[in-house]
């Protein structure tokens, strides 16, 4: 089962933010930029307009390609900085993928009325060495990237720091804490799975019980209907791709394999981003080709399985196939109609010239740390999100840490979706960790609201 990624689709526009009063005098504009430019390894590329009360800088930071061998070369890692005030806490945020094109505040940044540093994950272009050694793409190397960025920027932002991210970004934030537990004061991870033992997944059990039985049956029926009409759908897929200049030969191999990936992924993707409210929109057997095309296009996204759609996510699939694991969902209900069993394994989504071998144990190590030593951790998951089938689990050694489940929530679940008492408790905990006593009075911007619904191509965490 392929995995739907997390890449925010951001809307334009904003409204005035009324933040908490600034307690300390701000440096002059040129003084702030001067402080940033004085940080070794940090390059200020420029400043862009942003919402009132903030300044937005584009930055890069020089990172070793291999932190164990700094002489082996380096790359420039892209960052953005939303500067609020030197006296406020700072949130370090990553999607675990590319840097979002537009900067918007995460929920912790809004709760704290703080500064925000967003960073691109290593090996997602352009934050990649010119001649990458793919074995340098692992959770320790990425955690060390974060460690160095935080250490460097503490020279400017000396107040408390928290890390956050959703889905793969949340996973990445937890991995950083596992290796550098004292770097920051807290971590808030949203909809972040932890696939401890890949062969013992609980995704099948989850998908067999989520929603109501009639909806689950309708999803299987539409998959089977699509595969029995393979030729019609495949021909439309090929023609549409050709018209757009999209190809299949470099990664998937051919359009037939890509079509099967689209169809097989549909139930996971449906529950990840849609839900029970959309069950009536599942085409019944015998529906028109147009209806089938529309359903799978909205649910699984045909573009995502072209070479051009897959290429930006090759680093994720490499990580999934070497350390992170992936949802091993049964395709048995479709077995008699499939040409390519196990089409969802990460090896199918990474070019063949990139060698990859799964190395078990990394996720079990992180899980053991969370349960035995993790502190100041908060996990927020969605009740109807398939990724919640494999959550991080707190244990007897976890200290001052919390796990919340948003009722009916999907892969866009947030603290603000919790029941009122839990919402207030979680928000108060985040502010306590960051040393912020008062809840900031603020109006959410259009950009903030848009960022609450993270999307990527089908089913990446």
């Amino acid at each position: 089962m392929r995995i739907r990624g997390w890449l925010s689709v951001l809307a334009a526009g904003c409204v005035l933010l009324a933040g908490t009063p600034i307690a300390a005098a701000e440096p002059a504009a040129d003084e702030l930029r001067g402080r940033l430019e004085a940080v070794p390894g940090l390059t200020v590329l420029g400043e862009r307009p942003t919402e009132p009360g903030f300044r937005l800088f584009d930055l890069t930071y020089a990172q070793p390609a291999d932190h164990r061998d700094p002489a082996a070369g380096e790359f420039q890692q892209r960052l953005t900085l939303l500067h609020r005030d030197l006296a406020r806490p700072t949130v370090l945020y990553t999607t675990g993928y590319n840097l979002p094109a537009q900067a918007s505040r995460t929920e912790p940044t809004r709760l704290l009325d703080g500064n925000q540093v967003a960073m691109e994950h290593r090996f997602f272009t352009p934050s990649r060495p010119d001649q990458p050694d793919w074995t340098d793409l692992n959770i320790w190397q990425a955690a060390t990237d974060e460690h160095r960025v935080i250490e460097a920027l503490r020279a400017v932002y000396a107040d408390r720091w928290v890390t956050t991210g959703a889905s793969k970004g949340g996973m990445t934030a937890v991995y950083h804490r596992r290796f550098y537990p004292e770097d920051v004061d807290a971590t808030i991870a949203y909809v972040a799975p932890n696939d401890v033992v890949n062969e013992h997944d609980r995704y099948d059990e989850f998908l067999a019980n989520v929603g109501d039985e009639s909806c689950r049956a309708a999803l299987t029926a539409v998959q089977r209907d699509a595969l029995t009409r393979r030729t019609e759908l495949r021909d439309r897929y090929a023609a549409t791709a050709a018209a757009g200049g999209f190809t299949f030969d470099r990664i998937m191999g051919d359009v037939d394999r890509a079509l099967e990936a689209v169809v097989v992924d549909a139930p996971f993707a449906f529950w990840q981003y849609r839900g029970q409210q959309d069950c009536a929109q599942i085409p019944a057997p015998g529906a028109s080709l147009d209806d089938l095309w529309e359903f799978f296009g909205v649910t699984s996204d045909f573009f995502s399985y072209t070479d051009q759609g897959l290429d930006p996510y090759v680093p994720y699939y490499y990580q999934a196939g070497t350390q992170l694991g992936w949802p091993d969902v049964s395709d048995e209900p479709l077995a008699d109609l499939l040409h390519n069993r196990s089409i969802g394994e990460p090896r199918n989504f990474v070019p063949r010239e990139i060698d990859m071998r799964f190395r078990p144990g990394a996720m079990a190590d992180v899980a053991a740390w969370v349960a035995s030593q993790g502190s100041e951790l908060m996990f927020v998951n969605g009740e109807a999100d398939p990724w919640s089938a494999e959550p991080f689990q707190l244990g007897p050694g976890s200290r001052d840490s919390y796990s919340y489940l948003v009722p009916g929530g999907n892969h866009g679940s947030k603290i603000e979706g919790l029941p009122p008492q839990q919402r207030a408790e979680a928000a108060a905990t985040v502010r306590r960790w960051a040393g912020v006593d008062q809840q900031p009075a603020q109006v959410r911007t259009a950009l903030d609201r848009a960022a609450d619904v993270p999307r990527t191509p089908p089913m990446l965490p």
Side-chain angles (χ1 to χ4, degrees), residues 113-135:
D113 193 24
N115 310 293
Q116 179 175 289
V117 176
M119 64 184 294
E120 189 162 68
H121 198 287
R122 65 168 35 219
F123 280 49
F124 286 83
T125 55
S127 297
R128 182 186 296 183
D130 291 336
Q131 296 182 324
D133 177 347
W134 286 85
T135 62

Side-chain angles (χ1 to χ4, degrees), residues 183-216:
D183 266 4
V184 297
D185 297 279
T187 296
I188 303 96
Y190 297 87
V191 293
N194 188 43
D195 197 344
V196 180
V197 181
N198 201 72
E199 294 78 10
H200 297 163
D201 281 354
R202 294 191 292 271
Y203 296 107
D204 281 338
E205 180 183 356
F206 181 93
L207 292 171
N209 293 281
V210 66
D212 63 36
E213 184 177 359
S214 63
C215 191
R216 298 192 299 270

Side-chain angles (χ1 to χ4, degrees), residues 263-278:
V263 173
V264 169
D265 279 353
F268 198 109
F270 180 88
W271 295 111
Q272 182 176 353
Y273 285 114
R274 303 185 72 179
Q276 185 70 37
Q277 73 280 357
D278 291 327

Side-chain angles (χ1 to χ4, degrees), residues 226-236 256 259:
L227 291 171
T228 59
R229 299 164 70 180
R230 176 192 298 267
T231 301
E232 294 176 274
L233 275 174
R234 185 180 59 208
D235 289 350
R236 178 178 284 197
D256 190 73
L259 177 62

Side-chain angles (χ1 to χ4, degrees), residues 85-171:
D85 182 80
L86 293 176
R88 303 298 299 180
T90 301
V91 176
L92 187 140
Y93 156 64
T94 179
T95 65
Y97 297 96
N98 288 104
L99 191 68
Q102 293 182 332
S104 62
R105 293 171 299 160
T106 61
E107 187 175 62
T109 307
R110 298 195 304 264
L111 286 170
L112 302 176
D113 193 24
N115 310 293
Q116 179 175 289
V117 176
M119 64 184 294
E120 189 162 68
H121 198 287
R122 65 168 35 219
F123 280 49
F124 286 83
T125 55
S127 297
R128 182 186 296 183
D130 291 336
Q131 296 182 324
D133 177 347
W134 286 85
T135 62
D136 292 333
L137 178 56
N138 59 57
I139 63 173
W140 179 82
Q141 296 279 5
T144 306
D145 291 340
E146 290 195 35
H147 169 68
R148 295 184 74 247
V149 167
I150 291 166
E151 278 200 326
L153 286 174
R154 278 195 188 278
V156 180
Y157 297 99
D159 203 71
R160 299 192 191 188
W161 283 66
V162 301
T163 50
T164 194
S167 201
K168 185 171 181 287
M171 297 156 66

